[in-house]
Amino acid sequence: GAVVSQHPSWVICKSGTSVKIECRSLDFQATTMFWYRQFPKQSLMLMATSNEGSKATYEQGVEKDKFLINHASLTLSTLTVTSAHPEDSSFYICSARDQTEKLFFGSGTQLSVL
Amino acid sequence: DAKTTQPTSMDCAEGRAANLPCNHSTISGNEYVYWYRQIHSQGPQYIIHGLKNNETNEMASLIITEDRKSSTLILPHATLRDTAVYYCIVPHNAGNMLTFGGGTRLMVKP
C-alpha cells in the first residue's frame, strides 16, 4: 500500500518552545492530509484537515494559532506545536488519502513537553 | 460518519480465527465500511474495506450482512502480532476523513 512517512518518531522539548512535525506521502500525491492526536488509552481525535495551497480546517476546540499547519506541496504537510506546554504532550499522527481513496497513516510522533 | 458499535475487548487463541463484529445500523446506501487496526504506539494500519459484497485480501476477510447493518472482520489464523485495537469506521464520504470510535481491543493469547 501507499506509504506515509512521519518525522520525528519522538521528541522531547522544554515548555515554551516550538516543535515541528513533518508528514510526507512518499509514493503518491495528497491534496488533503489529516492530523490526529491521541492521548494514552484513548482513541484518535481529529485535529485538523490540511489542504494543499490553502488554509487548514480545524476541528472545534483546536487552537489554530497554537497548532500551525502548512501544506505547501502535494507531498508534505507540517504541524508546528507553538509554545508547547506539558498538556500538549501526546501522540500525534498524520494521514493522507491516496488515489484509491484509502487513508494511510504515518507512524506517529510521541511529543513529551517537560 | 455513521455511528458504529464494537465490543470493547475480545480474546482469541493463537492460530484460531478471530471474528470481530461491528454494528452500523444507520449506514447509508453509498457508505463503505472500513477496518483499521492500531498496534501499540504506532499509526493505524489499513486492513480492508467493502460496500456490499464480502471482501478478502491477504490480511483478512470482511463479511457484510445483506441489510448492511453489521459486518464482521475475520482474521483466519490469528497470531500474537495481531494483538491490537481494531476500528470499524463508516465515513460519510468515501474520501472523507475518518472518525475513530473506541474500537475493539483484541488480545491474541498463546
Side-chain angles (χ1 to χ4, degrees), chain B residues 74-107:
Chain B
I74 301 173
L75 307 179
H77 305 287
T79 69
L80 298 179
R81 287 181 292 182
D82 292 322
T83 292
V85 179
Y86 287 76
Y87 295 99
C88 166
I89 303 167
V90 179
H92 179 60
N93 297 313
N96 206 350
M97 53 76 178
L98 300 179
T99 301
F100 287 79
T104 296
R105 186 172 297 276
L106 175 68
M107 179 72 71

Side-chain angles (χ1 to χ4, degrees), chain B residues 37-96:
Chain B
R37 72 180 182 184
Q38 186 179 25
I39 296 171
H40 183 62
S41 298
Q42 297 183 24
Q45 176 189 23
Y46 167 83
I47 301 174
I48 200 167
H49 75 287
L51 181 63
K52 294 181 181 179
N53 300 321
N54 298 336
E55 302 287 345
T56 296
N57 62 21
E58 65 278 5
M59 290 184 68
S61 294
L62 175 60
I63 308 299
I64 302 174
T65 58
E66 192 169 345
D67 62 8
R68 303 209 325 119
K69 292 185 177 182
S70 66
S71 61
T72 300
L73 178 74
I74 301 173
L75 307 179
H77 305 287
T79 69
L80 298 179
R81 287 181 292 182
D82 292 322
T83 292
V85 179
Y86 287 76
Y87 295 99
C88 166
I89 303 167
V90 179
H92 179 60
N93 297 313
N96 206 350

Side-chain angles (χ1 to χ4, degrees), chain A:
Chain A
V3 177
V4 175
S5 175
Q6 187 172 341
H7 179 81
S9 298
W10 56 271
V11 58
I12 302 173
C13 69
K14 293 182 179 180
S15 185
T17 61
S18 295
V19 174
K20 179 184 284 188
I21 302 171
E22 293 186 349
C23 180
R24 295 179 185 274
S25 56
L26 295 187
D27 49 2
F28 65 98
Q29 294 182 331
T31 56
T32 303
M33 291 185 177
F34 304 98
W35 287 95
Y36 292 82
R37 179 169 55 182
Q38 185 176 34
F39 293 107
K41 298 188 183 301
Q42 295 186 21
S43 189
L44 285 77
M45 296 294 295
L46 180 68
M47 299 176 65
T49 301
S50 172
N51 303 298
E52 187 268 336
S54 64
K55 292 183 179 180
T57 304
Y58 291 82
E59 295 300 300
Q60 190 173 8
V62 178
E63 301 175 56
K64 62 179 181 180
D65 295 330
K66 181 170 185 60
F67 299 100
L68 300 180
I69 291 173
N70 184 279
H71 195 155
S73 77
L74 287 172
T75 59
L76 174 64
S77 175
T78 61
L79 168 68
T80 301
V81 183
T82 62
S83 187
H85 289 96
E87 57 266 30
D88 298 324
S89 297
S90 185
F91 191 54
Y92 293 86
I93 308 169
C94 71
S95 65
R97 199 166 55 229
D98 73 352
Q99 62 273 20
T100 66
E101 299 295 337
K102 289 194 291 287
L103 204 60
F104 292 92
F105 289 80
S107 55
T109 298
Q110 182 64 52
L111 170 64
S112 297
V113 184
L114 304 178

